[in-house]
Amino acid sequence: MITVTELRFLADAQTSYHILKPWWDVFWYYITMVMLMIAVLAGALQLTQSRMLCLPCKAEVDNHCAHPMEHVIAKINLSSGPLGKVSHSTGIQNDLHRQQYAYIDAVCYEKQLHWFTKFFPYLVFLHTIIFAVCSNFWLHYPSTSSRLEHFVAILYKCFDSPWTTRALSETVAEQTVRNQTRKRSRLLTSSSIAEDTDTRKQSLQPGVETTAVEDDASSVLDKKEGEQAKALFEKVRRFRLHVEQKDIIYSLYLKQIVIKVIALLIIITYVSYFLMHITFEIDCIVDIEAFTGYKRYQCVYSLAAIFKVLATFYVLLIFLYGSACFYSLWWMLRSSLNQYSFEAVREKSNYSDIPDVQNDFAFILHLADQYDPLYSKRFSIFLSEVSENKLKQINLNNEWTVEMLRNKLTRNSKDKIELHLFMLSGLPDNVFELNEIEVMRLELIPDAKLTPMITQLVNLKELHIYHSTLTVDLQALSFLAENLETLHLKFTSIEKIPSWIFLLKNLKELYLAGSLDNYNFTHIEGLQDLKNLTTLYLKSSIPRIPPVITDMLPFLEKLSVNNEGNRLLILISFKKMANLSSLELINCDLERIPHSIFSLSELWEIDFRGNNFKTVEEIISFQHLHKLTCLKLWHNSIAYIPLQIGALANLEQLYLNHNNIEMVPLQLFLCSKLRILDLGYNNLTFIPEEIQLLKNLQYFAVTKNSIEILPDGLFKCSKLQCLLLGKNSLTSLPTHVGDLTNLIKIELVGNQIESLPRELESCQSLKPLCIIVESSVLHTLPSYAKENQKSCHR
């Protein structure tokens, strides 16, 4: 037995599809029900009432039965001529009259009654079944029903979601604001109109938006409701990706209509033709004279009249059904239902990014529109990325409270208060409540937005954007243009550089790291508008310096180019950068020092880290750079130091570490102003006694060499503060180390020193001494060294 619960489930399953049934489907359903009632009524009448009543024909005139006999004879006698041959039948007398008539009725019903009359109820029932199957097959076919069930389930959730109501209410509010803005704009003077035009031009910059007015009351969304709406966005995205690939539903629905039209034409044709065969009187001629004595019988079919009425009404229903079928076929063919446009929704709302859909997804929405266009409108909210981003923002604000964000505040190496946000879905609005932020670092945030609330961050001076998409509101951009001084930007392609960064008029330092087009630098042409830019860091793989840097930034003071191991060519353009004071050409695969830099008289620092220098014979040309105080030739393949280095009288810092230098020329010690000398990670075996000429030396490093003995002249550099001797071959430390009264750090890691001289204790009288030993040979550490080692930062 079928339970009430199962019947209810079947009923609910049918009603769930009502939004996908246009008016003609509903019309078909009711006509099918009436057809079914006609079939049931005709069948019931045929089963319950007598089928036929037949009487024997005792007289025939011209092969037609005539009765009664007296009237036939009178007509024959009065006629002027013979009307026809009259035959007489006497019949056979017996006692089985009732059985004989029943037999005659049955035989005449089977042999003389037209088949259409006999099977009319069953034909109507069969037609009804065919139409019902054609109308519902697409709803139950596995490939289509799975998609339809999924769509209906999502659609109902979208329709009832609180987020849908909130999004639509925002649209109404924004339309009201727009209308009011338009009215006000009519009252503007010509000057204000010109200013407004300039503002609109700025709004056309990619990544710059105008913030829509939001209703604070509607911004309240329960956390659970927000998560449910977020799940709906994901379901809609996956459903669209799956359904848009094919047009199974569209094809099947069209085939069903075509089948219906063909079936209707056939049914109308033969039903209209055979309708005339439903007659009340029937002339029955059967060869059963041996049993009854009669060959011809006059019969009447008692259901003929009502069947004819039902058949006529049935034909009328067929015409109505056919009209709806032809209309549905015209609707299918008049326009492409494989495309669905949300243009009307986009025009009436602020969700201008709602995409048009195609294939089965489009066809389902067209069907839903026939029921009620409001369903598609509410469903479209979950196709908009803008809507999804707003929802993500609300969920993000609920998740990241002010207290949680405040706990993420740290002090960086520059002693600035920094906030680092990593891999979030967006930028929480609560960030703008932390007005103590000085540095903001956004990393791997796909959709961050700076709203006018950023004006609360009065201390913000530095911004880091690492592989993040940051959209800036006009008012927020105005704030950044006035306050931001340093910007770090990492990107995957040059197209990812937001154009709004070129509007930061007070920007002083810009760090760009990412893939740039080798020859086309149009995306960074806006650099010429940064008039206050003094420092530019460029980390990319480019064959030459972009012309916008060398030609359009004449006031640039510091330029750093990290070419990531690729060769940098065409360096002659450096001559144009007359105000450059610091130049870094890192990992540029250079083999010689470019001559173009020798004309930059303002240079005080040069860094050639990570190139392929084997010799630096051009070093004598540095004497023309009178302001040069810092030279970094580290991480190269330099085999020796030219004797001409002594001509660099103003040099204060020299970095030659990580090279292949075997000997230090004595001319190096003519650079009497040297404060920092780093010769670590080379192949040195000794240090000349002439090092004592460096009276201003404060930092000296020979880490990772092969030095066995320290010269006495080293300990005459009275200003020496940091001495790095690690990873050499030293076996002892001279007692003269006590003469270095300003020493604050000494490193002896990786040597074979067995004991430390007692004189080292005198070095701690002025400043805290840091002794780094970590030697397996040194088993005992003096008490003074143990105490001072605690203050060492390794």
Side-chain angles (χ1 to χ4, degrees):
M1 293 180 64
I2 299 177
T3 63
V4 176
T5 305
E6 292 174 340
L7 289 175
R8 183 179 179 183
F9 173 77
L10 291 174
D12 292 341
Q14 291 295 328
T15 55
S16 63
Y17 290 116
H18 70 279
I19 60 174
L20 298 178
K21 289 188 174 184
W23 67 264
W24 52 84
D25 263 323
V26 179
F27 190 59
W28 289 338
Y29 172 78
Y30 286 113
I31 291 180
T32 304
M33 291 296 102
V34 177
M35 289 180 181
L36 184 61
M37 292 174 62
I38 291 176
V40 172
L41 177 60
L45 291 173
Q46 194 175 54
L47 293 174
T48 56
Q49 294 188 15
S50 177
R51 296 180 178 181
M52 289 186 67
L53 296 175
C54 297
L55 295 176
C57 184
K58 296 182 179 181
E60 296 183 19
V61 178
D62 291 336
N63 201 24
H64 292 283
C65 184
H67 57 84
M69 197 66 181
E70 300 80 22
H71 296 287
V72 175
I73 295 173
K75 291 180 179 179
I76 294 173
N77 293 334
L78 295 174
S79 63
S80 58
L83 296 175
K85 185 179 178 181
V86 179
S87 61
H88 299 277
S89 298
T90 59
I92 300 175
Q93 300 294 327
N94 53 52
D95 297 329
L96 300 174
H97 298 110
R98 184 181 297 277
Q99 287 82 353
Q100 287 176 348
Y101 287 128
Y103 177 75
I104 293 168
D105 293 344
V107 172
C108 287
Y109 179 82
E110 292 298 330
K111 293 188 176 183
Q112 296 297 324
L113 188 63
H114 194 271
W115 67 268
F116 182 77
T117 308
K118 286 190 293 184
F119 297 106
F120 171 70
Y122 309 107
L123 288 174
V124 174
F125 182 75
L126 179 61
H127 298 164
T128 305
I129 295 299
I130 292 174
F131 292 146
V133 170
C134 288
S135 297
N136 295 281
F137 182 75
W138 71 293
L139 296 175
H140 302 284
Y141 184 64
S143 296
T144 58
S145 62
S146 59
R147 300 184 176 204
L148 295 175
E149 289 175 3
H150 196 182
F151 174 77
V152 171
I154 295 176
L155 182 61
Y156 280 131
K157 292 179 180 179
C158 293
F159 197 89
D160 296 333
S161 173
W163 175 249
T164 310
T165 304
R166 181 187 183 278
L168 291 176
S169 65
E170 281 185 0
T171 298
V172 174
E174 290 177 5
Q175 287 178 352
T176 303
V177 172
R178 283 194 200 127
N179 293 334
Q180 293 176 353
T181 304
R182 289 173 185 172
K183 292 179 180 178
R184 291 172 185 169
S185 64
R186 296 173 184 172
L187 302 177
L188 293 175
T189 61
S190 58
S191 60
S192 63
I193 292 176
E195 294 176 359
D196 186 58
T197 303
D198 295 337
T199 304
R200 282 197 293 269
K201 287 182 180 179
Q202 291 182 358
S203 66
L204 294 177
Q205 297 284 347
V208 182
E209 291 184 354
T210 55
T211 301
V213 179
E214 295 188 5
D215 186 6
D216 294 337
S218 64
S219 63
V220 179
L221 193 68
D222 183 74
K223 184 177 181 180
K224 181 179 179 181
E225 294 173 344
E227 292 299 325
Q228 291 175 348
K230 181 180 178 182
L232 276 178
F233 274 103
E234 183 63 25
K235 288 181 179 179
V236 170
R237 186 182 296 108
R238 292 184 178 181
F239 176 77
R240 179 191 173 193
L241 182 64
H242 174 64
V243 176
E244 272 195 315
Q245 296 176 355
K246 298 180 180 179
D247 59 350
I248 300 175
I249 301 177
Y250 173 80
S251 300
L252 186 58
Y253 193 84
L254 180 60
K255 290 176 182 177
Q256 288 184 173
I257 294 178
V258 172
I259 292 173
K260 279 185 181 183
V261 171
I262 295 174
L264 281 167
L265 293 175
I266 296 173
I267 291 171
I268 291 175
T269 301
Y270 86 82
V271 170
S272 301
Y273 175 76
F274 289 117
L275 182 62
M276 305 306 298
H277 289 77
I278 302 178
T279 58
F280 179 74
E281 292 185 358
I282 301 172
D283 191 8
C284 179
I285 302 176
V286 290
D287 191 10
I288 56 174
E289 191 173 355
F291 298 96
T292 62
Y294 298 99
K295 184 178 181 180
R296 183 184 292 273
Y297 299 89
Q298 187 70 21
C299 303
V300 294
Y301 186 51
S302 59
L303 297 178
I306 190 170
F307 273 19
K308 200 158 190 175
V309 173
L310 292 176
T312 304
F313 184 60
Y314 174 71
V315 171
L316 178 61
L317 293 178
I318 290 293
F319 274 105
L320 294 176
Y321 198 100
S323 300
C325 286
F326 279 106
Y327 177 83
S328 62
L329 182 61
W330 173 79
W331 178 75
M332 292 284 291
L333 300 177
R334 67 168 180 163
S335 59
S336 176
L337 298 181
N338 286 336
Q339 303 289 335
Y340 188 92
S341 175
F342 287 99
E343 183 177 358
V345 180
R346 292 193 292 262
E347 290 178 354
K348 296 180 181 179
S349 68
N350 62 312
Y351 301 116
S352 58
D353 67 319
I354 300 176
D356 294 337
V357 296
Q358 57 185 0
N359 290 334
D360 278 347
F361 197 8
F363 181 65
I364 293 174
L365 292 174
H366 280 294
L367 290 176
D369 277 349
Q370 294 297 318
Y371 180 80
D372 189 351
L374 182 60
Y375 280 92
S376 297
K377 181 179 180 181
R378 297 177 75 92
F379 188 83
S380 66
I381 298 300
F382 291 88
L383 292 172
S384 168
E385 290 187 6
V386 174
S387 176
E388 185 177 10
N389 292 337
K390 287 185 178 181
L391 176 64
K392 288 180 180 178
Q393 190 65 36
I394 292 177
N395 291 338
L396 195 65
N397 293 338
N398 291 335
E399 180 182 358
W400 289 91
T401 61
V402 176
E403 291 72 18
M404 292 179 62
L405 291 170
R406 196 177 297 277
N407 292 334
K408 291 184 68 66
L409 292 178
T410 58
R411 283 196 175 273
N412 60 16
S413 58
K414 298 179 180 179
D415 198 32
K416 294 183 178 181
I417 300 177
E418 179 179 311
L419 176 64
H420 184 194
L421 298 179
F422 178 73
M423 289 188 69
L424 299 185
S425 60
L427 186 62
D429 290 337
N430 293 326
V431 168
F432 306 120
E433 300 294 330
L434 308 176
N435 53 15
E436 64 267 35
I437 295 177
E438 296 176 274
V439 181
M440 185 184 297
R441 191 186 302 267
L442 307 178
E443 186 171 0
L444 292 175
I445 300 179
D447 190 14
K449 183 177 181 180
L450 295 182
T451 66
M453 296 176 63
I454 197 175
T455 55
Q456 302 177 37
L457 304 182
V458 293
N459 295 314
L460 182 65
K461 301 296 181 182
E462 186 173 339
L463 181 62
H464 297 248
I465 307 174
Y466 295 159
H467 302 292
S468 301
T469 302
L470 186 63
T471 304
V472 182
D473 178 83
L474 281 175
Q475 189 173 348
L477 179 59
S478 176
F479 171 81
L480 292 178
E482 294 293 336
N483 295 271
L484 198 64
E485 297 179 355
T486 304
L487 176 63
H488 294 249
L489 181 63
K490 288 184 180 180
F491 50 89
T492 54
S493 63
I494 193 170
E495 292 81 7
K496 298 292 184 180
I497 299 179
S499 58
W500 55 262
I501 70 172
F502 305 122
L503 301 176
L504 304 177
K505 59 181 181 180
N506 286 330
L507 193 66
K508 296 180 179 179
E509 298 182 13
L510 178 60
Y511 298 75
L512 296 178
S515 178
L516 294 176
D517 194 322
N518 287 342
Y519 297 99
N520 185 10
F521 301 108
T522 55
H523 288 83
I524 59 173
E525 291 294 331
L527 287 173
Q528 59 184 331
D529 297 326
L530 303 179
K531 302 301 182 182
N532 292 320
L533 191 65
T534 58
T535 303
L536 176 62
Y537 286 79
L538 190 63
K539 185 178 181 181
S540 184
S541 300
I542 52 177
R544 60 190 177 91
I545 304 295
V548 67
I549 297 177
T550 56
D551 301 345
M552 301 297 179
L553 297 177
F555 300 104
L556 199 64
E557 296 179 2
K558 183 174 183 179
L559 175 62
S560 175
V561 179
N562 187 337
N563 217 34
E564 300 180 331
N566 295 281
R567 176 157 296 189
L568 187 65
L569 304 174
I570 316 176
L571 303 177
I572 192 67
S573 58
F574 280 126
K575 292 183 177 181
K576 302 176 183 179
M577 308 183 73
N579 292 315
L580 208 60
S581 60
S582 176
L583 176 63
E584 296 179 356
L585 298 179
I586 303 172
N587 298 323
C588 293
D589 195 25
L590 300 177
E591 295 181 355
R592 303 183 68 87
I593 298 175
H595 292 275
S596 58
I597 68 173
F598 298 137
S599 61
L600 304 179
S601 58
E602 298 296 324
L603 277 179
W604 65 269
E605 179 184 14
I606 299 177
D607 188 351
F608 287 115
R609 177 189 176 101
N611 287 282
N612 291 325
F613 293 160
K614 293 181 175 56
T615 62
V616 284
E617 298 294 344
E618 301 87 354
I619 202 169
I620 190 173
S621 299
F622 284 128
Q623 63 181 331
H624 301 297
L625 305 179
H626 301 292
K627 295 184 179 180
L628 183 64
T629 59
C630 180
L631 179 60
K632 298 179 180 179
L633 298 171
W634 49 358
H635 295 271
N636 280 278
S637 302
I638 301 174
Y640 67 94
I641 305 173
L643 302 179
Q644 293 82 355
I645 194 171
L648 306 182
N650 294 323
L651 204 61
E652 296 181 6
Q653 302 178 38
L654 179 61
Y655 294 85
L656 292 168
N657 50 305
H658 291 86
N659 280 286
N660 300 321
I661 301 172
E662 297 181 355
M663 184 179 65
V664 180
L666 299 180
Q667 286 78 0
L668 173 62
F669 306 114
L670 296 178
C671 303
S672 57
K673 293 184 179 180
L674 273 179
R675 293 184 294 103
I676 297 176
L677 177 60
D678 193 339
L679 297 171
Y681 294 87
N682 280 285
N683 302 320
L684 299 176
T685 56
F686 73 96
I687 302 173
E689 288 286 345
E690 285 75 8
I691 194 174
Q692 61 184 314
L693 299 176
L694 303 179
K695 300 299 183 180
N696 295 310
L697 191 63
Q698 299 177 6
Y699 176 97
F700 181 63
V702 286
T703 308
K704 195 67 170 60
N705 281 279
S706 301
I707 298 174
E708 298 179 356
I709 301 175
L710 296 177
D712 292 339
L714 176 64
F715 305 104
K716 295 180 180 180
C717 300
S718 57
K719 295 184 179 180
L720 195 62
Q721 299 179 359
C722 184
L723 180 60
L724 305 182
L725 304 172
K727 298 180 181 180
N728 279 280
S729 301
L730 298 175
T731 57
S732 63
L733 193 64
T735 57
H736 299 298
V737 70
D739 298 336
L740 303 177
T741 55
N742 291 321
L743 195 64
I744 62 174
K745 180 179 180 180
I746 183 171
E747 180 182 317
L748 301 171
V749 176
N751 285 283
Q752 303 297 319
I753 299 176
E754 297 181 358
S755 62
L756 296 178
R758 188 67 188 175
E759 288 78 5
L760 188 62
E761 184 176 2
S762 62
C763 296
Q764 63 177 341
S765 59
L766 298 179
K767 297 182 180 180
L769 177 64
C770 182
I771 304 175
I772 303 178
V773 182
E774 291 185 3
S775 173
S776 58
V777 180
L778 184 64
H779 299 291
T780 59
L781 193 66
S783 58
Y784 65 86
K786 289 181 181 180
E787 295 176 359
N788 291 321
Q789 194 181 34
K790 296 179 183 178
S791 64
C792 175
H793 299 285
R794 300 179 183 177

